């Protein structure tokens, strides 16, 4: 575990994260055996989870990035849309954390409009207690309590994204 930072309680260490990601990769490999997939990274929080997961998934794959904002009290907005055509392809959204479910709900509608062969969601962390919309991930690394976390891509006002471990963050 790296140095302690003020207001942060270690939650999931770098090594634990890698074990969780390896397990998720194995499940995906089994389920999509013989198929190719499109791995989709919603920016920015998923960058590290995405880059670790795709390198552990031994399947033919294309990757793509989308950027959706969901400011509190406002609707979701696309800052960067898909660059590849996903029609007829097996798409997996690789999301670092699901909270209210607004971002994923919006993203799933957007992708379904492009008629993929299938669409699943792989989330590193899930906070079901916070859910406002009926979204449930197909693959979940770890279910956590209703606490704000930072590190491993996740931020509080852009702080913490580069931390190697995940911390509970006292706001
Ligand atoms: P949702 O649309 O409410 O599900 O929010 C999902 C997005 O909010 C995630 O992809 C994160 O970018 C961000 N988010 C939700 N909870 C946390 C957290 O505990 N720490 C950091 N970012 C979070
Ligand atoms: Mg995200």
């Amino acid at each position: 575990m790296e140095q302690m930072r003020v207001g942060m309680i270690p939650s999931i260490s770098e090594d634990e994260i890698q074990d969780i990601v390896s397990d998720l990769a194995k499940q995906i490999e089994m389920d999509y055996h013989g198929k190719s997939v499109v791995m989709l990274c919603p920016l920015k929080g998923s960058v590290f989870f995405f880059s670790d997961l795709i390198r552990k998934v031994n399947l033919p794959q294309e990757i793509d990035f989308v950027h959706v904002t969901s400011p509190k009290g406002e609707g979701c907005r696309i800052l960067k849309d898909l660059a590849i055509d996903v029609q007829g392809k097996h798409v997996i959204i690789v999301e670092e954390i699901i909270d209210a479910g607004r971002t994923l709900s919006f993203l799933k509608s957007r992708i379904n409009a492009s008629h993929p062969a299938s669409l699943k969601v792989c989330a590193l962390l899930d906070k079901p207690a916070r859910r406002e919309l009926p979204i449930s991930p197909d693959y979940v690394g770890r279910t956590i309590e209703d606490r704000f976390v930072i590190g491993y891509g996740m931020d509080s006002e852009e702080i913490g994204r580069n931390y190697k471990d995940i911390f509970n963050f006292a706001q």
Side-chain angles (χ1 to χ4, degrees), residues 18-54:
Q18 290 309 319
D19 288 345
I20 294 169
V21 177
S22 297
D23 282 349
L24 290 169
K26 268 187 220 141
Q27 291 175 47
I28 291 171
E29 269 176 23
M30 280 194 310
D31 290 355
Y32 290 86
H33 182 76
K35 296 183 176 132
S36 56
V37 290
V38 176
M39 303 293 265
L40 188 63
C41 176
L43 296 166
K44 298 187 270 190
S46 282
V47 280
F48 302 123
F49 175 43
F50 182 77
S51 60
D52 286 339
L53 183 74
I54 63 171

Side-chain angles (χ1 to χ4, degrees), residues 42-46 70 76 95-104 127 130-131 144 147-150 154-156 161:
L43 296 166
K44 298 187 270 190
S46 282
S70 52
C76 293
E95 177 71 293
E96 83 286 9
I97 187 164
I98 310 177
D99 191 67
R102 287 185 294 148
T103 313
L104 262 182
K127 285 198 273 190
R130 299 262 308 167
R131 205 69 95 248
I144 61 168
R147 289 223 187 93
F148 201 81
V149 292
I150 62 168
M154 290 168 282
D155 72 306
S156 171
R161 287 200 197 276

Side-chain angles (χ1 to χ4, degrees), residues 83-104:
I84 61 173
D85 183 4
V86 297
Q87 183 170 359
K89 297 178 183 170
H90 298 287
V91 179
I92 303 174
I93 302 173
V94 180
E95 177 71 293
E96 83 286 9
I97 187 164
I98 310 177
D99 191 67
R102 287 185 294 148
T103 313
L104 262 182

Side-chain angles (χ1 to χ4, degrees), residues 53-71:
L53 183 74
I54 63 171
R55 285 176 296 168
K56 289 180 180 191
V57 171
N58 186 18
L59 292 172
Q61 48 181 291
E62 286 179 90
I63 66 168
D64 203 2
F65 300 86
V66 285
H67 197 176
V68 173
T69 51
S70 52

